[in-house]
Amino acid sequence: MAAGPYNYSYIFKYIIIGDMGVGKSCLLHQFTEKKFMADCPHTIGVEFGTRIIEVSGQKIKLQIWDTAGQERFRAVTRSYYRGAAGALMVYDITRRSTYNHLSSWLTDARNLTNPNTVIFLIGNKGDLDAQRDVTYEEAKQFADENGLLFLEASAKTGDNVEDVFLETAKKIFQNIQDGSLDLNAAESGVQHKPSARPGQTLNNEQQPKDSNCSC
Amino acid sequence: MESTSSNNHINASQIDNLIELTENHKVNDLSEFDPLANEKPTQPKRPVRPPPPPPTNRGSTQIQASTNRISTHAPVRAPPPPPSPRSHTVSGTSSESVLLKFNENSSAITKQPARNPVSRSDLGSFKNKSASFVSYLSSNENDNHVAEEMQERKLENRSASSPDVTHIGNSQFVKFEPFDGASGHNEMATKFIGQREQLMQLLMAKRQDDYTKREPFRIFAGTWNVNGQFPTQELDPWVGCDEEPPDIYLVGFQELDLSKEAFVFAESAREEEWLKCVKHSLHPKAKYRLIKLNRLVGMMLLVFAQERHVPHITNVIAHQVGTGLLGKMGNKGGVGVRFDIHSSTICVVNSHLAAHSEEVQRRNQDYSDICQRMRFADPQAETNCTVLQHDVLIWLGDLNYRIDHMLPDLVKELIEDQHYKPLLENDQLLVQRRVGSVFKGFEEGDLTFRPTYKYNPGTDQWDTSEKCRMPAWCDRILWRESALQQNANSSKKPFKAVNLLKYRSHPALKISDHKPVSALFKLDVKIIDQEKYRKVYEEEIRRLDRLENEWLPTMALSNHTLDFGVVKFQCPSLQTVELHNTGQTPCHFEFIGKLGDSNFCKPWLTVSKPKGYVMPGEKVELEFEVYVNKNTAPMLNRGQEGMDDILILHLVGGKDFFITLTGKYSPSCFGTSIEALCRMNKPITLVEQKEIARLSTIRAVGENQLNTLEKSLQVPKELWWILDHLHKHARHQPDLFQQPGLHQEFQKIQESLDSTLPTNKTTLPGSNHSVAEALLLFLEALPEPVIPFQYYTPCLEVAENLDLAKELLKTMSSRHRSVFYYLLAFLQELLKYKDENNLNDHLLGTAFSGLLLRPGEGHRKTGFEARIERQKSTNFIKMFLRNKIEE
């Protein structure tokens, strides 16, 4: 992976949305801390988490806003969509109502973010398969029809949690590379800058200088 | 991370720098994660003062002081980027100024009730100031000024949200914008990425044992001053003397070429000859390649490595330093080569230091000159380091240190007896090293061989020339390991990467007046296990992530919901929330507006501290006060807006809290329209909210056909009650309207008006002055004044013509017209008793014109025009006071 003399660092903004109790905060916590929060209180406001990941050799800092799911906060949490590069839309596979509300969440996400925002649908609580109320196929079809990325995950076991965040970043990065995401747009949700000190990266490549070997 | 193994390393010199960095600045690992620490430096730049801390909050001032910023000037590295100037200072100031503006605005709002003469505080305090009706008037003007100012500000705010300055206008909301400079997160993040690289290097260096293994390499280091001779002798006894083939050869020559040509021009024929000769004698059991040849006049340094190691030898850089004539010519000085082998960094220096026994200081200086001036710089590899910044430094050469204080004969005698101890005690190099003047931190093997200088060439006999030089160990080999390798494992016994196996001279080579010297080292080279490295790297980066999240500002709120219960007109209601900083970093909190809102809260709410700081472990109490005044009552009365709201409490660089407010506003006749009140046959508190809302939509223009069928009073019963009361009890009251009422009495009056139906026998509670004040407040709080807004200008135009004025009023809603004439009749009645109540038509005209004739929202005049308008409206009322009213 030729890093070249200039490494770029990116910052992506994510939001996590979905009904109350679907496990949004637990997903965030699992992703940032690799731990499951058993007694997670309802989020009254907007939690904030951060982690640095690597996609295609690029270091990317994720800034994740985890919003309150309660209906009464809906009007306020809409404020946070603006400028998100990725939106993780979560439902609970054991509670059908949370799935039924997805179209309303999707409408918000579509209306309040830019057209290139990557929307990832997550069926959480995948560990509770016995209590499943929404089939994988059904949700997959919904995702396909609406052009969403989709995975079932479990904030409890950590299954697919990493993938959800990484796949979203990959897709955003892909959008940057093929030019469909304009980094200069105010609402792109992505910030990039030339690496502060080229050569400080740990994987800088220095070719052995064969020319010095004169034998 | 898929780079070749040899490059994926941290060399000890970098680690040195990082350690130096951290030690110099007394930074512990964690301080770098303090987002506030990162933000602090921007604060002094702000042109505006930080939020003034109240005296109770000790913590808030300390934040400014404890700026502990790391400077990132590592000696070896390129300087760090300047703190990103971007737009954050600019938008920082603009948002600040908007906040300021907002603060002024909110303070204007909070102060405003206090200026209102009938506000809760003034009801009491005015009494003591024996305020007169005139003072009421003037304060009413003040009130207008306040209102004007507020209006102007509103306009300013509106213009601020015009397209070109949208960001400024919305700056309270800027937090949600992804990467606007004003956002603390982004600023923090950008800085953090730069620091993080460095920090990762430090953390990885600390754990290098977890992902590196050591492999022994045999290093042959040799030095020989050949006195300008041709290589006429095989060098096998020197470079090929060991049984096992060395992995690396470091071979240094001095006085390779004493010709003037060599001195003046860079070329020398001897270079090729000696190179060939050395190659020929390299150990026969292995194949070698020349890695680097570096020659300065007579000093030449050759580096060979076994072919199998060549792919692992990288970053080969050479440099030379002359310290001879003029302090820079190449007759003396040093030549150096540095390279990486796997992940160990190696430097070798071959030097020829100043000659002559008495020149000890000169030799010491040559040494330090070389240390300072020799720089291995390669812009492509972004390397720039000194000789000392390597894991291992091997220094060989004709260092020219002699033996002091002894006579040549004795010296030679002791040498013959192999009794070196007295000689070693007087060896200049050993003495100088012992006192720390030169070669600090270096090691050298024991000198167990005869001095290597000075012989008659071709023999093993001491110099018998005229000068008859004294024997000396001029030719030496020393080495130095970087400090870190010893520190890194301080808990265990110091790890030595370099072990001397042999240190000897080779008297068999006789062509020069010096004998060659060599040292054989076992060097434990660091080799990174890529898989382990990757794993440790992941672990460390996760640890940083975790720490960063732990160091985000966080707080606990005592409650997220504030229930104000039933709220009444002009009755303040207070709730508190305690903020407890449960995080590990100071919290900078502030309330921010929701999307599209210019203010973070509704006008009927004030927060004691809309922004501030809380230190870790400390608490701060915020007071939320709901107070409904004449400005906010109308919309609450008509149910257009409930008392429910959600406030966003933002932690700068962290999360947001939502604070939910609930309350039920008890509707009052104060702030309800004449049209609505006329249509209520019950006290307002008994009317359904929906009904109030519906009635409140009725406009005071003409006769609305839809509403003619509705039963309606001509005058609001509340107004009738007040006037009836005053007529019965206050006609003779001295200084009526000129004395303020009492707050408590007003509350009771309000309650009676809002909850009971008046009869001919009922009276209002409270003194005449309080009831009079209730009348003024009732008129003032009307959402549509008695003379509706749209009649304001027409009325002023007919202020001198009673007939035209009456004609004009006929087109008004009949209820407003009735109220107007009813009120005027009442005032005329009062004037009949002016000897007792001290009223006159001018006083009443001035006072009531401001209440009955009010310009609308869009109609604001200032200065001269406003005075003219006030005069006209006073005249309008006076005209009616002086003339008979038929209605």
Side-chain angles (χ1 to χ4, degrees), chain A residues 46 50 61 80 200 212 215, chain B residues 77 176 290-291 548-549 656:
Chain A
V46 176
T50 170
K61 185 184 182 95
Y80 292 80
Q200 286 255 319
N212 287 322
C215 305
Chain B
R77 313 223 140 265
F176 305 130
L290 178 67
I291 300 297
E548 191 183 342
N549 283 305
D656 292 2

Side-chain angles (χ1 to χ4, degrees), chain B residues 216-222 239 242 244-251 282-283 286-289 291-292 302-310 312-314 337 339-342 346 348 394 519-521 523 525:
Chain B
F217 273 62
R218 291 167 80 85
I219 313 275
F220 176 96
V239 293
D242 292 306
E244 290 293 314
D247 295 279
I248 309 272
Y249 272 107
L250 313 169
V251 183
L282 292 176
H283 206 286
K287 291 192 94 177
Y288 292 93
R289 279 176 71 178
I291 300 297
K292 192 76 190 172
L302 303 173
V303 178
F304 295 92
Q306 284 192 25
E307 258 178 7
R308 62 195 173 103
H309 298 313
V310 170
H312 306 297
I313 294 176
T314 53
V337 173
F339 56 92
D340 298 344
I341 176 153
H342 288 283
I346 314 287
V348 55
I394 293 173
L520 189 67
F521 297 105
L523 171 64
V525 168

Side-chain angles (χ1 to χ4, degrees), chain B residues 146-318:
Chain B
V146 172
E148 272 166 24
E149 274 173 45
M150 283 173 61
Q151 185 67 18
E152 278 162 24
R153 287 213 180 93
K154 264 187 203 160
L155 290 172
E156 271 177 43
N157 279 351
R158 225 170 277 148
S159 71
S161 55
S162 67
D164 53 333
V165 276
T166 306
H167 282 298
I168 299 170
N170 291 339
S171 66
Q172 281 157 355
F173 201 73
V174 143
K175 280 85 210 168
F176 305 130
E177 288 199 340
F179 305 113
D180 193 296
S183 157
H185 290 305
N186 307 315
E187 222 172 287
M188 176 180 82
T190 354
K191 283 181 186 166
F192 190 77
I193 282 181
Q195 289 177 4
R196 198 177 169 111
E197 290 293 342
Q198 258 189 330
L199 194 61
M200 276 308 294
Q201 294 206 3
L202 175 64
L203 295 177
M204 288 305 287
K206 281 187 171 172
R207 292 194 57 187
Q208 71 174 11
D209 288 352
D210 296 342
Y211 57 83
T212 51
K213 56 179 180 188
R214 297 274 178 175
E215 209 167 89
F217 273 62
R218 291 167 80 85
I219 313 275
F220 176 96
T223 177
W224 193 14
N225 183 326
V226 296
N227 196 22
Q229 302 299 315
F230 286 100
T232 51
Q233 204 177 355
E234 295 266 338
L235 302 179
D236 297 34
W238 177 38
V239 293
C241 66
D242 292 306
E243 266 178 45
E244 290 293 314
D247 295 279
I248 309 272
Y249 272 107
L250 313 169
V251 183
F253 293 98
Q254 303 85 35
E255 297 192 5
L256 193 78
D257 194 338
L258 297 172
S259 69
K260 282 189 185 107
E261 291 76 17
F263 188 71
V264 178
F265 307 107
E267 283 155 32
S268 168
R270 303 284 170 86
E271 177 181 304
E272 197 54 39
E273 289 174 44
W274 277 103
L275 173 62
K276 226 168 111 187
C277 190
V278 172
K279 271 190 196 168
H280 186 256
S281 300
L282 292 176
H283 206 286
K285 286 188 190 165
K287 291 192 94 177
Y288 292 93
R289 279 176 71 178
L290 178 67
I291 300 297
K292 192 76 190 172
L293 180 156
N294 187 14
R295 187 181 62 82
L296 172 65
V297 192
M299 291 173 285
M300 180 163 83
L301 178 60
L302 303 173
V303 178
F304 295 92
Q306 284 192 25
E307 258 178 7
R308 62 195 173 103
H309 298 313
V310 170
H312 306 297
I313 294 176
T314 53
N315 292 328
V316 182
I317 310 171

Side-chain angles (χ1 to χ4, degrees), chain A residues 117-178:
Chain A
T117 298
V118 173
I119 305 178
F120 205 118
L121 178 65
I122 302 161
N124 193 29
K125 309 197 185 173
D127 51 297
L128 302 176
D129 199 49
Q131 300 162 44
R132 179 186 286 276
D133 205 9
V134 181
T135 65
Y136 176 87
E137 291 71 22
E138 184 182 3
K140 176 72 179 145
Q141 193 186 341
F142 175 83
D144 289 344
E145 281 166 6
N146 291 286
L148 313 175
L149 300 170
F150 171 62
L151 270 181
E152 284 190 350
S154 167
K156 189 171 183 179
T157 64
D159 274 359
N160 278 349
V161 172
E162 196 90 344
D163 306 56
V164 161
F165 286 87
L166 292 182
E167 289 300 318
T168 308
K170 272 185 200 160
K171 181 72 182 155
I172 296 167
F173 191 63
Q174 199 182 314
N175 287 345
I176 294 169
Q177 294 210 307
D178 66 24

Side-chain angles (χ1 to χ4, degrees), chain A residues 49-63:
Chain A
T50 170
R51 205 186 120 180
I52 291 188
I53 57 165
E54 205 172 299
V55 170
S56 306
Q58 297 287 342
K59 288 194 192 66
I60 293 166
K61 185 184 182 95
L62 299 184
Q63 290 184 335

Side-chain angles (χ1 to χ4, degrees), chain B residues 40-48 83-84 88-89 93:
Chain B
K40 274 178 229 155
T42 67
Q43 287 203 345
K45 283 189 211 153
R46 291 190 170 180
V48 217
S84 151
H88 74 256
T89 45
T93 41

